[in-house]
Amino acid sequence: MNLHEYQGKEILSQSGVRVQRGIVADTPEKAVEAAKKLTEETGTKWYVVKAQVHAGGRGKGGGVKLAKNLDEVKDLASKIIGMQLVTPQTPPEGKKVNQVLIAEDVYYPGESDPEEYYMSVMLNRGQGKNMIMYSPEGGMNIEEVAEKTPDKIFIELIDPGHGLQDFQARRIAFNLGLSGQAFKEMVKFVKSLYNAYTNNDASLFEINPVLKTSDNKILAVDSKVVIDDNALFRHKDIAAMRDTREENPVEVEAKEAGLSYVALDGNVGCMVNGAGLAMATMDLIKQAGGDPANFLDVGGTADAERVEKGFRIILKDPKVKAILVNIFGGIVRADRVAQGIVDAYNNMKGEIHVPIIVRLQGTNADKAKELIEKSGIPVHFVTEFQEAANKVQEVLKDKAHA
Ligand code: GDP
Ligand code: MN
């Protein structure tokens, strides 16, 4: 699950990481109130108005602006709230901004020369360790730094069993060229950031930029945080931060129905049980000259209700030209699934306008075949993988000619 910048900063702050402080607002009036309150709390004179969307590169897209007084806060907030923000990380049509973070200005333009660093914590799967990636070249696109000056990117691997060691935190501060007070601040920053990552079961904490102010404070100006969905059950407070407005609406609907669904770009909808079979099915579709339109795992109980929900979700995607159901009857018997498909089909009469290929294997596969054939519903029933691939190819060809 992705978090907004302001939510990530809340978590960081609770873990003892110094952050650029701010207050979130969803109307221009509240933005002004937020700015007033922020000045009471921090003494800041200027403010940064920052669009809160699940995408980076907001600065480049006009979603991060400096305001020098309350009128400017109001003006900028009214421009940014409601806009479609387009950044290099959003879809081409952009993302709608529902709220802004009114943050204290920590750069004091004209008065100082702050330094920007990059830092992220994530899992290094290859090494089976956590990893802190950091660079003295912060603020800009890290992919660009990696391409042009790869020697400016450093990596510290952390054994999850031992945790981050003091010498590692010091090495990071040293490699960033710090000394004195800033060095000490950075050591504390790194330790607290690593704790935030492990204590919250995150899969990513990315801070770009980490700022060194003119008075040698180290703080997080931005935050991109991803929390492992499988751990959310033990972080109720974080789970409550979910902003479904930022997510694909069909994926949200599927999740609510207990289906695991990921939208893709292709033309063949897939309904599968088990992630491994889903992967294999997607390969199969590719080999047959198609492209998967989605990943949909109906899980262990493929009954009529779930199959119907699955069909409905797949058919919301107008790109779908055919549906391949590929289910292995292990715990769930194939004939039960077949009955589910027949019932769902009959319930949805008139709503399904694309060919359906059903491959059922496993327990009672022969009964399943009989059931589907007797029902008279117009689906192509196959039992073998290759047959399924051929059938997909055939119906796509027919569609192309039609
Ligand atoms: P991103 O573009 O989505 O990564 O958003 P960031 O939160 O990183 O902000 C983008 C840029 O805005 C930063 O790299 C800074 O250059 C600038 N910025 C952020 N906070 C301040 C601030 O307090 N004062 C000034 N002057 N600039 C800021
Ligand atoms: Mn940033």
Side-chain angles (χ1 to χ4, degrees), residues 25 42 50 61 81 84 87 137 144 172 207 241 270 286 297 304 314 322 327 335 353 365 374 377 379 381 390 395:
T42 67
K50 311 181 82 177
I81 297 170
Q84 282 295 120
T87 86
E137 300 292 319
E144 214 174 297
I172 291 172
I207 317 295
M241 291 178 174
C270 330
K286 279 264 185 197
D297 182 357
I314 290 174
I327 289 181
D335 57 324
H353 301 291
K374 265 201 194 141
I377 62 168
V379 303
F381 189 93
N390 297 346
V395 301

Side-chain angles (χ1 to χ4, degrees), residues 235-301:
H235 300 287
K236 297 273 186 291
D237 46 340
I238 299 178
M241 291 178 174
R242 168 160 252 133
D243 185 350
T244 49
R245 293 173 298 186
E246 295 289 324
E247 298 175 12
N248 177 316
V250 185
E251 289 183 8
V252 172
E253 190 184 332
K255 183 166 274 159
E256 278 162 9
L259 302 168
S260 150
Y261 171 88
V262 181
L264 301 167
D265 293 327
N267 52 1
V268 182
C270 330
M271 194 188 310
V272 184
N273 66 341
L277 187 57
M279 297 293 180
T281 305
M282 286 158 62
D283 283 352
L284 177 90
I285 289 169
K286 279 264 185 197
Q287 281 164 12
D291 237 326
N294 67 275
F295 170 110
L296 175 66
D297 182 357
V298 291
T301 53

